[in-house]
Amino acid sequence: MGVLSLDLFVAALRLATPIAFVALGETFSERSGTINIGVEGTALAGALIGATVSFFSQSPWLGLAAAVGVGMLLGLIHAIWCVYLRSDHVVAGAAINLLVTGLAYFLTRVVWGWRGTSASAPILNPWLLVWTMVALVLISQIFLFRTPWGLRLRVVGEHPKAADTAGINVYRTRVGYSVLNGALCGLAGAFLFNNLGRFSVGMVGGRGFIGIAAMVVGNYRPIPAFLAAYLFGFVDALQMRLQDVIPSHFSIMLPYVLTIIVLAGFLGRANVPAALGKPYIKEEG
Amino acid sequence: MKLLRELGIVGVSVALGLGVGAIITAATGYSVPAVFRELVRGAFGDIYGFANTMTQATPILFTSLSFLIAFRVGLFNIGAEGQLLLGGFFAAWAGFTLNLPPILHVVVCLFFGAAAGAAWGFIPGWLRARRGANEFVTTMMLSYVALYLTSWLVSPGGPYHGHQWANQTARIMSSAELPRLMASGRELPSWGLVVGVLVAVIAWYFLFRTPRGYEIRAVGQSPLAAEYGGVDIARAQILAMVLAGALAGLGGAAEILGTHRRFIEGFSPGYGWDGIAGGLIARAHPIGAVFAALLMGALRAGGRAVDRAGVAPSDLAWVFQGLVILFVVAPELIRYFKRIRLRRRAHGRPEP
């Protein structure tokens, strides 16, 4: 068979998984009004803590729980910073990325004595997380557009004052979906660890940012965001096969270049939540 | 008065960051007093420590200026790392290819570095202004492209692999070197630092004393008001990103011409990321960036001393840096504490 074979499409689904988890989480977060570029670092933290806990407890399930837990913690910190302390969302996210990268180098040296990588640790079958992702994409699409909770979430991002008037707690809603975003990024990190069997500081490698791009291209909707993530996963799978044909330095660039081209060519930004990135200040009465 | 208040906020944020850093240090089983002692000694303890700090601060000063000029127009250049790498490579290329008289050669090399960075800043600036593409995603993606591109150029299969076993170019000609400020030794700051401080002053003049600089700040504060006032928003955005790229590229050039004297794969341990911290700690002020860069440089120099002394891994300094920015970007946190204090005072004595 040539380069295009069935396993290419299967590999693409696998490589799309971390991107899709992030895209899904960011969809919830941005729909409620919070931009989080800390998803890159949050996924890295999920992989790091997932690997560490799995290594010490010898239980990959505990590792998975820890990955989700640390993701939620970082989502909570980001939400406190954006919602209550009114930091700039992008800047707070960038701070999280820097902090986690530093922690990853530091902790790997403390625990394993190597800078930036871990020893191998017990893993789950990564396909478990692939199918979890697919299920969550479908559930999220229904949740966002067919349930009252989804409607409330969207109102908070579009018109927080109207939501407040209708008795929806804007602050708590934003914090809640930011924590959910963190949990999903934790799953992205958990997938990366379970896919490789060890932690490496470069393992996220921009997939968090590509996840944000997938969400933009998917126009803030779960299923289209997943399809965009699949496209990126496909190119990633393809570039691995092209490494015999062109120098690996160039094939590795493909997903990054594609992200730029896709973002540049994408103009139908109809669904950007109106209150995205703006702090909501409740009137005190 | 405003300056004092800003300084106070930054001071408290830095203290909070280092405080949480101390908790992490203790929690991972390292000695807090030993770590802080080595950190200060390595950064300011003697003339070599301070020389180290200044050497590390030089590229960070450029990337801080790069981040803050884009920040002033309301955009986020988080890809300074890639712009710095490209600038460094092109400066090195001009340094070992062109044959020019001493001072002119340095100027031309710096120009090549700035131009390469500017090109890398123009792409996300144009894409943002004309196509609406998120600049924090595109600058990051371009950073990866620059990383692999420069890495290929000096790899064994690439055209500029100038060494038997290391991925680096040939050495630049001596006419292209930025001399060191003090007599001898590898770890001493070069004239790149002087160039950096000069560029910071020019950046201040540009932002606060020229019409183009005013337009950039106007768009950053309120795009709608700026547009109503007749400012071309797209042009201001593109200009700011081009300048941001040029500044980071210039930083890479200064680092190559002054410290390494050849392009080495991975010569930057993350100076581009340090610029985000530097620009934010400076509260996006070019003169503040000089001091913010010194603080970031001190953390790097001190971190290495912590490692050398065997007290803790140097990456602890990176953790401190992350914590410091996290607190610097939350000025409301400090105002929140202040509000509690004011409320207490208000309850304590009668209203005037």
Side-chain angles (χ1 to χ4, degrees):
Chain A
M1 286 265 249
V3 176
L4 286 169
S5 61
L6 181 63
D7 23 293
L8 180 66
F9 291 91
V10 176
L13 181 62
R14 200 162 153 152
L15 290 167
T17 300
I19 300 170
F21 270 132
V22 172
L24 194 56
E26 192 73 11
T27 300
F28 280 114
S29 176
E30 296 212 2
R31 278 278 183 183
S32 76
T34 312
I35 306 168
N36 187 356
I37 73 158
V39 287
E40 177 89 9
T42 309
L44 191 65
L48 172 70
I49 301 302
T52 310
V53 170
S54 173
F55 177 80
F56 282 112
S57 69
Q58 290 294 307
S59 157
W61 287 103
L62 269 181
L64 180 68
V68 173
V70 75
M72 292 169 80
L73 176 69
L74 288 173
L76 179 67
I77 291 174
H78 186 264
I80 291 173
W81 253 245
C82 293
V83 174
Y84 295 104
L85 302 178
R86 290 176 216 153
S87 314
D88 185 284
H89 294 197
V90 175
V91 158
I96 287 177
N97 288 341
L98 289 174
L99 179 62
V100 174
T101 312
L103 272 174
Y105 280 118
F106 175 61
L107 281 182
T108 46
R109 275 202 45 197
V110 171
V111 176
W112 294 282
W114 306 320
R115 191 167 183 272
T117 50
S118 79
S120 13
I123 54 167
L124 299 163
N125 182 349
W127 281 99
L128 194 77
L129 288 159
V130 176
W131 296 120
T132 307
M133 177 274 292
V134 173
L136 285 175
V137 166
L138 298 174
I139 294 167
S140 304
Q141 181 79 23
I142 296 165
F143 179 88
L144 263 173
F145 299 107
R146 295 277 180 277
T147 68
W149 301 293
L151 181 64
R152 275 178 216 147
L153 159 65
R154 287 182 287 134
V155 172
V156 166
E158 288 293 342
H159 202 319
K161 195 158 190 175
D164 201 359
T165 315
I168 302 168
N169 189 325
V170 174
Y171 293 170
R172 226 179 284 160
T173 308
R174 287 187 172 171
V175 172
Y177 286 107
S178 199
V179 170
L180 176 64
N181 182 17
L184 288 162
C185 292
L187 281 173
F191 169 83
L192 289 167
F193 156 64
N194 284 291
N195 195 36
L196 193 67
R198 58 163 66 217
F199 171 79
S200 149
V201 83
M203 74 192 322
V204 180
R207 286 182 180 84
F209 286 94
I210 296 178
I212 297 175
M215 176 220 61
V216 172
V217 174
N219 216 355
Y220 302 83
R221 290 160 187 273
I223 291 177
F226 161 74
L227 294 175
Y230 186 81
L231 173 69
F232 290 121
F234 185 82
V235 171
D236 211 3
L238 194 64
Q239 67 89 3
M240 287 180 184
R241 265 148 239 237
L242 287 177
Q243 293 199 354
D244 313 326
V245 192
I246 53 174
S248 63
H249 289 95
F250 287 100
S251 63
I252 259 177
M253 284 179 205
L254 278 178
Y256 306 124
V257 174
L258 176 80
T259 306
I260 297 166
I261 293 171
V262 166
L263 275 181
F266 185 78
L267 276 171
R269 288 163 294 116
N271 289 338
V272 182
L276 184 62
K278 297 186 185 113
Y280 178 66
I281 301 162
K282 196 177 161 74
E283 284 169 37
E284 286 178 32
Chain B
M1 193 58 216
K2 189 170 167 278
L3 179 71
L4 270 179
R5 201 177 56 218
E6 294 278 302
L7 275 177
I9 290 178
V10 171
V12 174
S13 312
V14 171
L16 275 172
L18 294 178
V20 177
I23 295 171
I24 292 182
T25 307
T28 43
Y30 295 102
S31 155
V32 177
V35 164
F36 277 82
R37 197 173 55 234
E38 287 302 320
L39 204 59
V40 172
R41 203 187 54 78
F44 304 107
D46 51 27
I47 183 75
Y48 291 104
F50 192 59
N52 241 323
T53 295
M54 289 195 290
T55 311
Q56 296 288 329
T58 304
I60 303 173
L61 172 54
F62 286 96
T63 54
S64 303
L65 292 169
S66 168
F67 180 82
L68 74 85
I69 206 153
F71 192 72
R72 283 280 178 181
V73 87
L75 298 181
F76 299 93
N77 178 29
I78 56 172
E81 183 79 3
Q83 296 149 5
L84 175 111
L85 290 174
L86 271 188
F89 178 82
F90 278 92
W93 180 85
F96 61 72
T97 310
L98 307 176
N99 211 338
L100 295 166
I103 294 174
L104 180 68
H105 201 175
V106 173
V107 174
V108 168
C109 290
L110 289 174
F111 175 79
F112 265 80
W120 227 236
F122 170 78
I123 301 171
W126 187 85
L127 288 174
R128 168 66 201 223
R130 303 282 177 219
R131 310 291 299 172
N134 276 337
E135 80 288 353
F136 49 82
V137 176
T138 53
T139 50
M140 191 74 193
M141 295 294 111
L142 281 170
S143 207
Y144 281 107
V145 174
L147 177 73
Y148 290 111
L149 185 64
T150 53
S151 160
W152 172 75
L153 284 167
V154 296
S155 70
Y160 294 105
H161 184 67
H163 198 273
Q164 278 172 324
W165 46 267
N167 287 353
Q168 55 188 32
T169 64
R171 199 182 154 86
I172 59 170
M173 293 173 202
S174 57
S175 54
E177 287 177 7
L178 270 171
R180 298 190 194 280
L181 281 174
M182 286 177 261
S184 63
R186 241 190 87 71
E187 295 295 330
L188 292 176
S190 74
W191 278 86
L193 181 63
V194 179
V195 176
V197 174
L198 214 65
V199 168
V201 174
I202 295 170
W204 171 82
Y205 185 84
F206 170 76
L207 273 175
F208 293 97
R209 293 287 181 275
T210 67
R212 288 276 174 278
Y214 173 78
E215 285 182 10
I216 285 178
R217 288 186 296 123
V219 171
Q221 276 178 357
S222 169
L224 278 178
E227 192 167 34
Y228 187 71
V231 177
D232 184 341
I233 295 183
R235 194 182 60 184
Q237 286 179 328
I238 295 173
L239 176 65
M241 285 303 288
V242 166
L243 290 175
L247 286 164
L250 202 55
E255 181 70 0
I256 294 300
L257 304 180
T259 302
H260 303 292
R261 272 76 198 268
R262 56 171 90 232
F263 180 88
I264 305 169
E265 181 185 22
F267 78 87
S268 167
Y271 294 133
W273 315 127
D274 291 359
I276 302 175
L280 291 170
I281 290 173
R283 317 286 280 173
H285 195 287
I287 306 303
V290 177
F291 299 96
L294 273 179
L295 178 68
M296 289 294 106
L299 275 176
R300 278 207 179 270
R304 295 205 328 210
V306 167
D307 211 301
R308 262 201 309 276
V311 180
S314 62
D315 302 299
L316 192 55
W318 193 339
V319 178
F320 286 6
Q321 183 193 330
L323 290 165
V324 167
I325 341 173
L326 204 53
F327 287 107
V328 166
V329 301
E332 285 290 323
L333 185 66
I334 290 144
R335 278 187 211 123
Y336 180 75
F337 284 132
K338 220 157 79 202
R339 246 191 328 248
I340 294 176
R341 217 178 53 205
L342 284 177
R343 208 171 294 162
R344 266 197 214 129
R345 206 185 291 164
H347 284 294
R349 55 175 99 128
E351 296 281 326

